[in-house]
Amino acid sequence: MSISIKRMAQDLKLAVSTVSKALRDSHEISEETKRMVLDYARKVNYIPNPYAGSLTNRTTKNIAVVLPEVADTFFSNAINGIDSVAQARGYHVMVYLTHEQHLREMSILRELRSGRVDGVLISVAAGDGRDISVFNVLCDELPLIFFDRVCEGVNAAQVLTDDFESAYHATRHLLLKGCSEPVLIAPAGELSIIHSRKKGFAAALAEHGIRWDERFFYRCADDQDGSLHSVTALFERHPRVDGVVASVEKVAMQVYAVARERNIVIPRDLKVIAFSNLQIASLLDPPLSTIEQPAFEMGRVAATLLFDALIKKRDVRNERIIIPSVLRERASTAETYI
Amino acid sequence: MSISIKRMAQDLKLAVSTVSKALRDSHEISEETKRMVLDYARKVNYIPNPYAGSLTNRTTKNIAVVLPEVADTFFSNAINGIDSVAQARGYHVMVYLTHEQHLREMSILRELRSGRVDGVLISVAAGDGRDISVFNVLCDELPLIFFDRVCEGVNAAQVLTDDFESAYHATRHLLLKGCSEPVLIAPAGELSIIHSRKKGFAAALAEHGIRWDERFFYRCADDQDGSLHSVTALFERHPRVDGVVASVEKVAMQVYAVARERNIVIPRDLKVIAFSNLQIASLLDPPLSTIEQPAFEMGRVAATLLFDALIKKRDVRNERIIIPSVLRERASTAETYI
DNA sequence: GTGAAAGCGCTAACAT
DNA sequence: ATGTTAGCGCTTTCAC
């Protein structure tokens, strides 16, 4: 650890408070002593202990980012966006992984009430029977911003993308390319974004005169093996499915893997479009059509909102910012003529 | 913020220290008061302020993970490995992104001397003319563990993979599959792992009677566009190149993109193998042969080492743990018969 | 302008 | 078994 203010005060034969004020460039200290203190601080390489002051100020310059996982292009790009503004404002980013378990999420959020961080950015874990109160309690104590996966009924800002519209366009795209039996595959668990996407999906079907049926909506297990198994089961049970809107990137990859294994040719037998930020979507076999979410931007905006609340003390709780996704059409949804 | 010990002491008509000891289950407190305090703490939802105690203990339960980037499967998996042990031990993970700029890295490391964290895990940024002293100063003050990209000459533990052997085997693989003009492509900047890989690459060449020549070693720009440009330039200048060992995943993707654009057929005209942890390597067109690094495991082991130093006060500075990578042969390096 | 003193929330000697 | 006191590093009144 570096030298303390107390020590510097002794060395310079000044009072601790004088040194403290000089370091913070207070107007009540003479230019002369200021320079003297600053020079000495530089010389002995003084670095203030962030947590000592935090006791009085109740501000740590730490923020928490709570995520389901990090090995996913959406979240890793979101972290980049968050980090870009955090670094610029001198804040430090603590990352918490819930692994899609809302019990773990709950205990993390409880812990965050300790004063370890000044604010929280969160993309909630999927989970049924979630208890909203943890969120409410937490956001009474410090600024909290939801991004992407929000939790309705909590008085906190939200940064999302247009899930309804994206799903609607993606589905419409499949139908226009000739699909008659599309499904929406999403991981298990209650999730705001899945809800919206489901609605968008249904809206596109309705527009094409297809009545909604629960069989169009397919849930899959969350883990790697489980979802592979689920996708296999889907094709066993519904061999006539000819289109997939994959709600997450991993599911799309499972669909690709299962299709390959079962000699289902994409896009001839099956068209696939996925919510994904994979930069290499175009290098897949076949290139994957995607709904690209503005991950970096969403992270950036969410963080900016948080710092507005933190630094400018702006009340952002009623903000709800929607940043549109982009549909990138590639070969996996190409029209095929038989 | 939650209630303080002081407040609880008042409410219970006890001394602050008694409450403090009761909470920490000290033997010098009667079972009766302990239960009373614990019950009350639970009732008012007491959560200790981690940084108040940190002043006396000089321990924050925070660790720093310093990385070049997060949108890369190696690093995101490494974070998973780190997080798995950090969560288990009740530690909190702060993530710092250097974006491969060693100046930024330096200022981050300087900041970390403030006492904000108890220890550091780092995978260093590429960079020439780096100043080792920042590392030395830092690791005199707190435990520091290098993982994957280490910095020689610093007295700190290292967790790495067998870069020399991996590169040797990858190159040998290319040669055995018929390549006569392989190159090793690596991003610019001085980097321990690149150094080892270069040696492994050269060793395989030597074994096949090919004398080392600098033209076999190709540097590319670090950023997205830059590396695309570099790869294009490589094929312009050396059209006879028929094999690539890509030192990072992104470069391999650029090679794929450029090959496609220039009608170079992989693996017929060009064989490609990459250091990569992409789970979807097998779904690329063609499936990419990879040297898969034990990212999660490396993160896990590095973190375990750090906590050994932190919790058990074990001196781990001379540890040097090598975890082997695995070569996964896929279509991008398949032998082709003309 | 500078300094003394109190206090942030907690721990740890040292009484009692 | 409980309480008193001091102190961690720093900020912030309030005196001088």
Side-chain angles (χ1 to χ4, degrees):
Chain A
M1 284 264 289
S2 97
I3 202 175
S4 72
I5 278 195
K6 186 177 175 184
R7 183 65 201 290
M8 288 204 292
Q10 288 169 350
D11 293 354
L12 296 173
K13 303 200 188 314
L14 286 172
V16 192
S17 56
T18 310
V19 176
S20 172
K21 286 171 189 162
L23 288 171
R24 331 186 80 242
D25 199 30
S26 162
H27 57 273
E28 35 178 1
I29 303 295
S30 74
E31 288 305 319
E32 202 187 330
T33 12
K34 270 188 198 170
R35 237 182 331 109
M36 176 185 174
V37 169
L38 255 28
D39 284 352
Y40 191 64
R42 172 157 324 241
K43 186 180 153 220
V44 297
N45 218 309
Y46 169 73
I47 305 174
N49 180 318
Y51 301 137
S54 99
L55 277 188
T56 2
N57 316 332
R58 12 211 74 234
T59 167
T60 63
K61 288 253 178 186
N62 288 162
I63 62 165
V65 179
V66 184
L67 304 167
E69 53 174 328
V70 70
D72 173 290
T73 52
F74 176 80
F75 292 117
S76 51
N77 284 322
I79 292 181
N80 271 325
I82 293 164
D83 177 76
S84 71
V85 1
Q87 279 207 29
R89 316 247 181 157
Y91 274 76
H92 302 248
V93 178
M94 320 201 58
V95 171
Y96 293 89
L97 269 26
T98 62
H99 297 286
E100 214 70 276
Q101 296 163 231
H102 77 287
L103 285 175
R104 197 180 292 213
E105 185 177 77
M106 268 180 55
S107 79
I108 288 168
L109 293 181
R110 230 193 317 271
E111 249 264 6
L112 290 181
R113 295 177 49 206
S114 64
R116 194 176 287 273
V117 298
D118 299 343
V120 177
L121 295 171
I122 182 171
S123 198
V124 308
D128 308 289
R130 149 186 314 289
D131 186 5
I132 296 264
S133 66
V134 200
F135 290 113
N136 283 320
V137 170
L138 187 61
C139 73
D140 273 356
E141 299 189 349
L142 39 72
L144 180 148
I145 318 276
F146 287 109
F147 70 98
D148 193 47
R149 296 153 161 230
V150 308
C151 188
E152 298 297 346
V154 179
N155 185 23
Q158 306 184 337
V159 177
L160 350 95
T161 184
D162 55 345
D163 286 294
F164 176 90
E165 286 78 7
S166 307
Y168 166 78
H169 283 120
T171 311
R172 190 160 169 274
H173 176 67
L174 287 184
L175 294 167
L176 290 175
K177 293 297 182 178
C179 289
S180 57
E181 198 85 21
V183 293
L184 171 65
I185 309 185
E190 188 61 35
L191 217 45
S192 56
I193 53 175
I194 302 295
H195 209 67
S196 309
R197 290 175 188 176
K198 193 170 162 181
K199 282 191 189 158
F201 181 79
L205 290 187
E207 201 181 78
H208 275 246
I210 306 180
R211 251 226 326 288
W212 172 258
D213 185 315
E214 272 301 325
R215 117 190 100 97
F216 290 130
F217 181 54
Y218 200 81
R219 292 288 197 170
C220 71
D222 179 59
D223 56 309
Q224 188 87 338
D225 294 348
S227 73
L228 190 63
H229 196 267
S230 311
V231 172
T232 309
L234 164 63
F235 288 111
E236 289 274 273
R237 268 189 269 160
H238 305 293
R240 290 187 12 234
V241 163
D242 61 358
V244 167
V245 179
S247 193
V248 294
E249 165 176 306
K250 271 175 190 153
V251 169
M253 297 302 96
Q254 304 295 6
V255 170
Y256 264 52
V258 171
R260 183 165 298 193
E261 189 191 316
R262 301 172 76 84
N263 292 317
I264 296 172
V265 178
I266 302 173
R268 194 197 60 191
D269 311 328
L270 180 72
K271 302 196 200 305
V272 183
I273 185 165
F275 283 83
S276 165
N277 294 274
L278 267 184
Q279 302 207 334
I280 57 171
S282 61
L283 299 175
L284 292 172
D285 179 20
L288 174 67
S289 293
T290 55
I291 298 127
E292 216 176 276
Q293 296 150 283
F296 183 94
E297 189 61 10
M298 287 172 73
R300 206 187 58 75
V301 169
T304 305
L305 231 42
L306 180 59
F307 292 125
D308 271 13
L310 252 23
I311 301 170
K312 303 183 192 157
K313 302 287 172 209
R314 188 159 79 82
D315 183 1
V316 298
R317 283 174 300 178
N318 291 314
E319 299 275 347
R320 185 185 157 91
I321 300 177
I322 297 178
I323 308 174
S325 291
V326 177
L327 195 155
R328 300 214 186 275
E329 190 176 337
R330 300 201 182 84
S332 70
T333 54
E335 197 155 1
T336 44
Y337 306 91
I338 316 153
Chain B
M1 283 263 289
S2 97
I3 202 175
S4 73
I5 278 194
K6 187 177 177 184
R7 183 65 202 291
M8 291 204 291
Q10 287 169 353
D11 294 354
L12 297 172
K13 303 199 188 315
L14 286 172
V16 196
S17 60
T18 310
V19 177
S20 172
K21 286 173 190 158
L23 288 170
R24 332 185 80 241
D25 198 31
S26 162
H27 57 273
E28 34 180 359
I29 302 294
S30 74
E31 287 305 319
E32 200 187 331
T33 15
K34 269 190 199 169
R35 240 187 324 121
M36 173 185 176
V37 169
L38 253 28
D39 284 353
Y40 190 64
R42 171 157 325 238
K43 186 178 152 222
V44 298
N45 218 308
Y46 168 73
I47 305 173
N49 180 318
Y51 300 138
S54 98
L55 278 188
T56 1
N57 316 333
R58 12 209 74 233
T59 167
T60 62
K61 288 252 179 189
N62 288 163
I63 62 165
V65 179
V66 185
L67 304 168
E69 54 174 327
V70 71
D72 174 290
T73 52
F74 176 80
F75 293 116
S76 51
N77 284 322
I79 291 182
N80 270 327
I82 293 166
D83 177 77
S84 71
V85 2
Q87 280 207 29
R89 317 248 178 152
Y91 274 75
H92 301 248
V93 177
M94 320 202 58
V95 172
Y96 293 88
L97 270 25
T98 61
H99 298 285
E100 213 72 274
Q101 295 162 233
H102 76 287
L103 285 175
R104 197 181 291 212
E105 185 177 79
M106 268 180 56
S107 79
I108 288 168
L109 294 180
R110 230 193 318 269
E111 249 265 5
L112 290 180
R113 296 177 49 205
S114 65
R116 192 176 289 271
V117 298
D118 299 344
V120 178
L121 295 171
I122 181 170
S123 197
V124 308
D128 309 289
R130 147 186 315 291
D131 186 6
I132 297 261
S133 66
V134 200
F135 290 113
N136 282 320
V137 170
L138 188 61
C139 73
D140 273 356
E141 299 189 350
L142 39 72
L144 179 147
I145 318 276
F146 287 109
F147 70 98
D148 193 47
R149 296 154 162 229
V150 309
C151 190
E152 298 297 347
V154 178
N155 186 22
Q158 307 184 338
V159 177
L160 350 96
T161 185
D162 56 346
D163 287 293
F164 176 91
E165 286 78 6
S166 307
Y168 166 78
H169 283 118
T171 312
R172 191 158 169 275
H173 176 65
L174 287 184
L175 294 167
L176 290 174
K177 294 296 180 179
C179 290
S180 56
E181 199 83 25
V183 294
L184 171 66
I185 310 185
E190 189 59 37
L191 217 47
S192 56
I193 54 175
I194 303 295
H195 209 68
S196 308
R197 290 174 187 176
K198 192 170 161 180
K199 282 192 190 158
F201 181 79
L205 290 188
E207 201 182 80
H208 276 246
I210 307 180
R211 248 227 327 286
W212 171 259
D213 185 316
E214 272 303 325
R215 114 190 104 95
F216 290 130
F217 181 54
Y218 201 80
R219 292 286 196 171
C220 71
D222 179 58
D223 56 309
Q224 188 87 337
D225 294 348
S227 74
L228 188 62
H229 196 267
S230 309
V231 173
T232 309
L234 164 63
F235 288 111
E236 298 266 278
R237 268 189 269 160
H238 304 292
R240 289 186 15 232
V241 164
D242 61 359
V244 167
V245 178
S247 193
V248 293
E249 167 175 305
K250 270 172 190 156
V251 169
M253 297 304 97
Q254 304 295 8
V255 170
Y256 265 52
V258 171
R260 183 165 297 193
E261 188 191 316
R262 301 171 77 83
N263 293 318
I264 296 171
V265 178
I266 304 173
R268 192 196 60 192
D269 311 329
L270 180 72
K271 303 195 198 309
V272 183
I273 185 165
F275 284 83
S276 165
N277 294 275
L278 266 183
Q279 302 207 334
I280 57 172
S282 61
L283 299 174
L284 292 172
D285 179 20
L288 175 67
S289 293
T290 55
I291 298 129
E292 216 175 275
Q293 296 148 285
F296 182 95
E297 189 61 11
M298 286 171 74
R300 205 188 60 73
V301 169
T304 304
L305 231 42
L306 182 58
F307 292 125
D308 271 13
L310 251 24
I311 301 169
K312 304 183 192 157
K313 302 285 172 212
R314 188 161 78 82
D315 182 1
V316 298
R317 283 174 299 178
N318 291 314
E319 298 277 343
R320 185 186 157 92
I321 300 178
I322 297 178
I323 307 173
S325 292
V326 177
L327 195 154
R328 301 217 184 274
E329 189 175 337
R330 299 200 183 84
S332 68
T333 53
E335 196 154 2
T336 43
Y337 306 91
I338 317 157

